[in-house]
């Protein structure tokens, strides 16, 4: 006999979810006031926001509330890391119908909180309103710790291009869910709950990264933003992409279901939402374990793979 | 022959609205990267977020896009001011159907930008996604400039309670719109475009305010949060409420339309969304012009008006 958020009301819901958000030493004032106050010792604060809409960014029948919480937090925390910063705080807006079970908002909160813990952040505030469609609005804050922010516009000809984190697994996981497959589990999990390599953002900044972003719309499309902002071309080599037997297996499963999947490399080049870090570094940078060099920055414009312009992929929210 | 946001696509929309957001000296990195970077010279950052859903928080036939932009920005910037901080930045998430005219997003952006200018802030980033219902997710950041943040839990027996800004006009404006009235214009304007007294937040902090918030759900309900958080009672005097001939006129118009309006004082006590600043100050504080003493903090709990508990008003989003 579960309750709904309509049963407990706005203030009941706020009290209930707030209890699930442990605070950190960076939080001076947490949830419950007009606004939160968060430490920004660096004298600058990194801030980013994303909206997630049910039916478009998640499905309640494909992802648990906990997964949705993890994913919503992850995609924002990854944006903070991709500037070279450590995440400190999350603000969460929830629009939802009154018949949404409190069990769902409980698990959502636990997912948000757990993902924040992975990144070192805390949920410090938010808002809940009534709407027909479940919608999440997440804002993440972060601390550069004295580092220069790594933008998209600093890549220079001669730089190497490298990635850290999985590529294509989330897109393959979505294709598997659409095809009704129940594995490989790693791909389904990647779609439901991406695992961005948060510490690698600040690490890349410390290594001298000249440009960086997290891969949210697809590697080629996102590196296209780096190329355009930097006024350069980026030449990727397909054979340099990190081999991923799990992705190969996903392609075999999809083919077995008659789903006519693309090659694994195509998932890696066009699939978004894994939130790997992709960065340019000065030539000769010694990359730590976990980073894979996949190409180079050259004169020109656009992104090529083995010298050719890849078919248009990625994601335009209104296209 | 207007275009829609579906015509210009996600990246076209981002470029188009971003051009409408002038930056300030507090913005180190503005729109266009993974995240914005904003000055937080104080070493702390104030942060708050709100969701606004079409049909619930605004109607496109009752408010222009410019009004919606002003209002969405104002309610968040007021939260920052109510902590005693100066607003610095706004992040804006927009969920919208592809057939939304670009004229609407243009005017929304102009409204957001103009309200930010009133408060000294800039729109530094955001997100646009597709959804059936127009939904805005706003996050505001602010700078305490060395002040102690003014929370809700610091009111002490003996303090005076005072307000700065209009009360009840927004609620009266909504009642007028519902009744089909076209005036008084000041009430309609207050509903469409509240004018929070931003500088009064930091000023109240400098004057030693012991507790503060902006009135968003209704004076009695919001002061109830101060009373509960502070473990005190708040005793208001109705005759001390600032006289407002415009509100009296609104009541006469509503009565003339057969709308059986409450008294003007009831609008002031229960109406939200004007975003006046309400604060407690140590007894004897000399209040600057614009502030009106309306009651006192006492031992006990709850909020009374002339010694009686007022009927429950205010706004529960799921109640």
């Amino acid at each position: 006999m579960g309750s709904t958020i309509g049963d407990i009301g706005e203030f009941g819901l706020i009290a209930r979810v707030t209890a699930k958000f442990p605070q950190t030493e960076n939080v001076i004032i947490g949830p419950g006031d007009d606004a939160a106050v968060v430490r920004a010792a660096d004298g600058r604060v990194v801030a980013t926001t994303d909206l997630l809409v049910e039916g478009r960014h998640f499905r309640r029948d494909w992802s648990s509330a906990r997964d949705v919480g993890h994913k919503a937090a992850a995609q924002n925390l990854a944006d903070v890391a991709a500037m070279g910063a450590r995440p400190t705080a999350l603000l969460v807006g929830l629009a939802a119908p009154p018949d949404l079970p409190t069990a769902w908002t409980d698990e959502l909160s636990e997912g948000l909180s757990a993902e924040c813990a992975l990144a070192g952040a805390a949920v410090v505030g938010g808002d809940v309103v009534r709407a027909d469609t479940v919608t999440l609005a997440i804002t993440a804050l972060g601390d550069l710790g004295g580092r220069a922010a790594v933008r998209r516009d600093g890549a220079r000809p001669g730089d190497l291009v490298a990635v850290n984190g999985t590529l294509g697994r989330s897109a393959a996981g979505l294709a598997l869910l659409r095809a009704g497959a129940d594995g490989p589990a790693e791909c389904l999990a990647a779609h439901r709950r991406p695992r961005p390599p948060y510490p690698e953002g600040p690490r890349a900044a410390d290594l001298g990264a000249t440009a960086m972003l997290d891969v949210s719309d697809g590697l080629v499309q996102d590196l296209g933003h780096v190329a355009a902002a930097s006024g350069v071309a980026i030449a990727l080599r397909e054979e340099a992409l990190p081999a991923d037997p799990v992705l190969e297996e996903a392609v075999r499963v999809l083919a077995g279901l008659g789903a006519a999947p693309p090659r694994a490399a195509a998932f890696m080049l066009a699939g978004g939402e894994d939130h790997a870090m992709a960065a340019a570094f000065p030539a000769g940078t010694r990359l730590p374990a976990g980073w894979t060099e996949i190409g180079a920055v050259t004169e020109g414009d656009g992104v090529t793979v083995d010298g050719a312009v890849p078919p248009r992929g990625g994601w335009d929210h209104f296209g």
Side-chain angles (χ1 to χ4, degrees), chain A:
Chain A
M1 216 195 75
S3 64
T4 67
I5 61 174
D7 294 336
I8 63 174
E10 176 184 359
F11 298 105
L13 177 59
I14 290 170
R16 187 173 174 122
V17 302
T18 299
K20 296 185 183 292
F21 298 143
Q23 303 298 298
T24 68
E25 62 179 6
N26 282 320
V27 184
I28 299 167
I29 299 178
D33 220 299
D34 291 283
V37 182
V38 179
R39 220 172 285 284
D42 174 271
R44 299 167 295 171
V45 62
V46 175
T48 183
T49 197
D50 272 340
L51 278 167
L52 292 90
V53 181
E54 179 176 13
R56 200 153 174 87
H57 301 96
F58 63 90
R59 282 176 53 161
R60 277 194 269 163
D61 54 341
W62 282 358
S63 293
S64 71
R66 199 178 305 264
D67 288 335
V68 173
H70 273 277
K71 184 171 186 163
Q75 69 183 59
N76 284 279
L77 297 166
D79 277 327
V80 168
M83 298 302 288
R86 292 188 193 285
T88 53
L90 212 68
L91 296 120
V92 179
L94 171 67
D99 65 358
L100 188 71
T102 51
W104 200 88
T105 52
D106 283 351
E107 288 171 25
L108 173 77
S109 305
E110 288 159 12
L112 289 164
S113 197
E115 191 67 28
C116 278
L118 290 173
V123 180
V124 299
D127 187 29
V128 294
V129 302
R130 182 171 175 160
D132 294 332
T133 304
V134 178
T135 302
L136 279 164
I138 310 284
T139 298
L141 305 180
D143 178 25
L144 283 160
R147 291 174 208 92
V150 184
R151 308 170 58 131
R152 297 176 171 192
D153 62 2
R156 295 290 169 258
D159 286 351
L160 65 86
V161 175
V163 293
N164 190 306
T166 61
L167 293 171
R169 284 191 182 186
S170 175
L174 180 59
L176 289 162
L177 286 166
R178 284 185 172 144
D182 61 0
E186 294 92 335
C187 286
L188 302 184
H191 176 68
R192 292 174 174 139
R193 197 183 290 195
R195 295 297 296 267
Y198 301 116
E200 301 301 330
R203 182 189 288 198
D206 290 338
L207 284 166
T210 56
M212 181 159 52
L213 45 62
D214 71 299
V215 180
S216 51
D217 292 335
L219 183 65
V220 168
Q221 180 170 325
D222 286 329
L223 287 179
H225 299 314
V226 170
S230 301
V232 299
I234 291 177
L236 302 179
R237 290 175 291 111
E238 185 177 308
E239 66 167 18
L241 292 171
D244 186 347
V246 167
L247 202 52
E248 302 283 357
E249 173 63 14
V251 169
R252 280 192 294 274
V253 169
L254 286 166
L257 291 167
R263 295 175 305 121
F267 274 123
M268 300 182 105
L269 291 166
E273 298 207 333
D274 284 78
H275 302 289
M277 297 289 144
F281 296 92
T285 300
R286 287 174 65 98
L287 297 174
W291 285 90
T292 303
E293 184 175 341
I294 58 169
V297 180
T298 65
E299 306 273 358
D301 59 66
V303 177
T304 56
V305 180
D306 297 336
V309 176
R312 195 175 153 70
W315 187 252
D316 179 319
H317 283 287
F318 297 102

